[in-house]
Amino acid sequence: QIGLADTPIQTVALFHPQWAPESWEVVATTDGKSTALTSAQPAYATASTNGKSIDVPLTYVGLGSEADLAGRDVRGKAILFFREGASSSTWPVTTLQRVQSAGAAAIFMSDFRGGNLSTQSYRANSNVPTFNLGTEDGLMLRDLIGKAPAGNSPHVKIRLDARWAADQKSFLVWGTLPGATDETIYVIAHRGGWF
């Protein structure tokens, strides 16, 4: 419609296996009531549960700082923390290392930008299931933890079926727009990921 002379599509073979989640579900349970966390988005390359569900208690660790973890036993628990500022496409590496070293069984990160956005973050370099949560889901979990009776913390059930797939392909596409001069202008787009 805008006069492109041709629009070639080029196949690109990806040399390395690509991580691809096939399905996942995160459900919070307290006092016999269950709530699906619709904003839960697995971080790229996070550990899979191989399609099986894990059910672990949930605890809140603020910003995940050393002070937030001081004297806290998070071993075998899912932890929730809020990052400072709005989430970007990367994870706060030192926070992840800190909570993993403390023995967390799963990690949930949210922020205070508002809404209930489902956000894709790239490689978390974590060895436990790791998910982004929208603000509304994050605050709902924090409130469940805060209102729970002592010794009866909420639980989260996590199922993630993901795999590393070899021999994957993607595509580049571009168009040629004849101009009024001999200048060449390239406009390039790429496919950002499995999502």
Side-chain angles (χ1 to χ4, degrees):
Q1 290 179 340
I2 65 171
L4 299 183
D6 66 315
T7 53
I9 296 176
Q10 176 186 355
T11 300
V12 177
L14 303 176
F15 296 112
H16 301 289
Q18 303 296 304
W19 183 80
E22 295 175 346
S23 66
W24 66 89
E25 182 179 42
V26 179
V27 177
T29 303
T30 187
D31 291 331
K33 298 177 185 175
S34 296
T35 305
L37 303 179
T38 58
S39 70
Q41 182 79 19
Y44 183 83
T46 192
S48 174
T49 66
N50 298 317
K52 300 174 184 175
S53 291
I54 62 171
D55 190 340
V56 292
L58 178 68
T59 190
Y60 177 60
V61 295
L63 298 175
S65 69
E66 290 180 7
D68 292 315
L69 288 169
R72 303 285 300 277
D73 180 12
V74 300
R75 189 162 303 281
K77 298 176 183 175
I79 65 102
L80 167 67
F81 76 94
F82 282 80
R83 76 177 296 160
E84 296 179 85
S87 287
S88 66
S89 62
T90 58
W91 285 77
V93 175
T94 54
T95 303
L96 288 181
Q97 292 171 342
R98 188 178 300 120
V99 295
Q100 284 189 120
S101 295
I107 301 170
F108 293 96
M109 179 182 75
S110 190
D111 61 42
F112 294 107
R113 79 175 89 183
N116 210 33
L117 301 176
S118 192
T119 306
Q120 176 64 48
S121 290
Y122 279 86
R123 191 178 288 270
N125 292 315
S126 58
N127 54 20
V128 298
T130 303
F131 289 80
N132 269 317
L133 291 179
T135 305
E136 291 174 9
D137 278 347
L139 292 174
M140 184 268 297
L141 283 186
R142 187 187 68 176
D143 290 347
L144 288 180
I145 295 166
K147 294 174 182 174
N152 191 21
S153 64
H155 275 233
V156 285
K157 186 180 286 188
I158 304 162
R159 181 188 54 76
L160 172 60
D161 194 5
R163 63 188 177 91
W164 288 92
D167 302 320
Q168 297 296 294
K169 295 178 180 175
S170 189
F171 306 92
L172 298 178
V173 60
W174 67 90
T176 302
L177 181 62
T181 71
D182 61 357
E183 184 177 25
T184 301
I185 300 172
Y186 294 99
V187 179
I188 300 171
H190 67 89
R191 296 187 176 190
W194 59 268
F195 54 90

